[in-house]
């Protein structure tokens, strides 16, 4: 299900993510959203899905995404310039945190809706799914938001080093069944491990194709 990529596409991915990368800004309110310029992609997922680890692994940095996990930044949209500004990567706040208040969730959804509505440069949202858990209710709420905003999204299974091969095949199949029914979901699913580096070259190539 993970697409195959040509040597050129893999090389383009390598180049794009070769750096330099920089944290640009964190946005917690609608009025702070930066104006649109160039191609943007977004990363989203439940808290603890492995989003920071994946962003760091993709960019070959140890702490680029740490900016998103510092106190005060966890409820923000965090903007990163990738490959000398060739691409903007937007790290969305982790969702599905059990202790979040209704007010927090409402605020977060309003910010997200405003962001999704006003980003013509947003080519794709990558939604990370913990391979051990598969798609959960909070993920489906995220899919609803993206379907509603007509933003194309693609799923990325994380932490596959925790599963055995037959289990990976099973979760991929179950995930594809869910996205197959969704209007804005991209059919191919990426399978990754930040720990082992699995699938990173393919995901970089996929992202480079969007530029
Ligand atoms: P975030 O909250 O989505 O940013 O998640 P983090 O990147 O902080 O990761 C959450 C936890 O999952 C940490 O304990 C990581 O070490 C662990 N983790 C992240 N990626 C992987 C992976 O590919 N494999 C394994 N085994 N653990 C991972």
């Amino acid at each position: 299900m993970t697409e195959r990529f040509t040597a050129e596409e893999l090389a383009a991915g390598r180049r794009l993510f070769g750096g330099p990368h920089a944290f640009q800004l964190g946005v917690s309110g609608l009025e702070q959203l930066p104006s649109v310029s160039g191609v943007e992609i977004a990363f989203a997922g439940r808290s603890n899905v492995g989003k920071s680890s994946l962003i760091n692994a993709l960019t070959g940095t140890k702490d680029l995404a740490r900016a998103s996990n510092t106190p005060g930044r966890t409820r923000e949209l965090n903007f990163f310039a990738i490959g000398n500004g060739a691409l903007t990567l937007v790290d969305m706040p982790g969702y599905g945190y059990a202790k979040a208040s209704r007010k927090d969730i409402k605020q977060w959804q309003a910010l997200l809706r405003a962001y999704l509505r006003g980003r013509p440069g947003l080519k794709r949202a990558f939604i990370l799914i913990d391979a051990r858990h598969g798609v959960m209710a909070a993920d489906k709420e995220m899919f609803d938001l993206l379907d509603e905003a007509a933003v194309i999204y693609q799923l990325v299974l994380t932490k596959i080093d925790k599963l055995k091969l037959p289990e990976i095949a099973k979760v991929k199949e179950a995930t594809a069944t869910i996205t197959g029914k969704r209007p804005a979901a991209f059919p191919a699913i990426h399978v990754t491990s930040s720990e082992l580096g699995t699938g990173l070259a393919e995901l970089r190539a996929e992202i480079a194709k969007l530029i």
Side-chain angles (χ1 to χ4, degrees), residues 41 52 64 69-70 93 105 107 109 117 171 174 180-181 195 200:
I41 57 162
S52 310
L64 188 68
N69 273 348
T70 51
I105 293 171
Q107 257 176 15
Q109 287 190 340
R117 253 200 315 270
V171 68
K181 297 183 191 121
E195 198 101 342
L200 300 183

Side-chain angles (χ1 to χ4, degrees), residues 47-53 69 159 161-162 193-195:
S47 321
N48 227 33
V49 72
K51 188 155 51 68
S52 310
S53 303
N69 273 348
K159 310 188 192 180
D161 54 283
K162 296 266 196 188
S193 162
S194 303
E195 198 101 342

Side-chain angles (χ1 to χ4, degrees), residues 1-3 124 152-156 172-173 175-190 206:
M1 244 171 302
T2 299
E3 272 183 71
R124 196 171 297 175
I152 295 177
Y153 54 98
Q154 182 166 20
L155 302 201
V156 177
K172 263 172 84 175
E173 199 180 309
T175 308
T177 305
I178 293 168
T179 52
K181 297 183 191 121
R182 294 270 176 174
F186 192 84
I189 294 166
H190 281 270
E206 183 88 76

Side-chain angles (χ1 to χ4, degrees), residues 134-204:
V135 172
M136 300 185 71
D139 299 313
K140 290 183 178 170
E141 284 177 26
M142 187 72 205
F143 301 167
D144 288 342
L145 276 175
L146 291 159
D147 282 326
E148 195 185 300
V151 170
I152 295 177
Y153 54 98
Q154 182 166 20
L155 302 201
V156 177
L157 297 177
T158 62
K159 310 188 192 180
I160 60 149
D161 54 283
K162 296 266 196 188
L163 299 188
K164 299 196 173 71
L165 274 179
E167 296 171 325
I168 297 171
K170 229 163 132 181
V171 68
K172 263 172 84 175
E173 199 180 309
T175 308
T177 305
I178 293 168
T179 52
K181 297 183 191 121
R182 294 270 176 174
F186 192 84
I189 294 166
H190 281 270
V191 170
T192 64
S193 162
S194 303
E195 198 101 342
L196 301 180
T198 316
L200 300 183
E202 289 79 5
L203 186 51
R204 290 188 194 108

Side-chain angles (χ1 to χ4, degrees), residues 10-154:
L10 291 167
R14 223 171 17 247
R15 272 196 305 277
L16 174 64
F17 281 90
H21 315 299
F23 173 68
Q24 287 180 309
L25 80 162
V27 169
S28 59
L30 310 183
E31 68 293 342
Q32 301 164 347
L33 280 172
S35 58
V36 184
S37 64
V39 173
E40 215 161 87
I41 57 162
F43 270 54
R46 299 174 71 239
S47 321
N48 227 33
V49 72
K51 188 155 51 68
S52 310
S53 303
L54 186 63
I55 292 172
N56 286 339
L58 283 171
T59 53
T61 56
K62 279 210 162 57
D63 57 3
L64 188 68
R66 195 166 53 185
S68 308
N69 273 348
T70 51
R73 291 226 180 274
T74 55
R75 308 307 297 165
E76 295 184 345
L77 292 168
N78 290 300
F79 288 72
F80 297 91
I82 301 298
N84 221 359
L87 173 82
T88 301
L89 188 158
V90 183
D91 184 8
M92 295 187 175
Y95 53 77
Y97 183 56
K99 285 184 189 147
S101 70
R102 282 192 71 82
K103 185 168 156 258
D104 279 350
I105 293 171
K106 275 226 157 75
Q107 257 176 15
W108 177 81
Q109 287 190 340
L111 176 63
L112 211 60
R113 278 207 175 86
Y115 167 71
L116 294 173
R117 253 200 315 270
R119 303 312 278 189
L122 178 61
K123 294 281 188 236
R124 196 171 297 175
F126 291 89
I127 309 299
L128 278 46
I129 305 287
D130 191 322
R132 295 171 300 177
H133 308 311
V135 172
M136 300 185 71
D139 299 313
K140 290 183 178 170
E141 284 177 26
M142 187 72 205
F143 301 167
D144 288 342
L145 276 175
L146 291 159
D147 282 326
E148 195 185 300
V151 170
I152 295 177
Y153 54 98
Q154 182 166 20

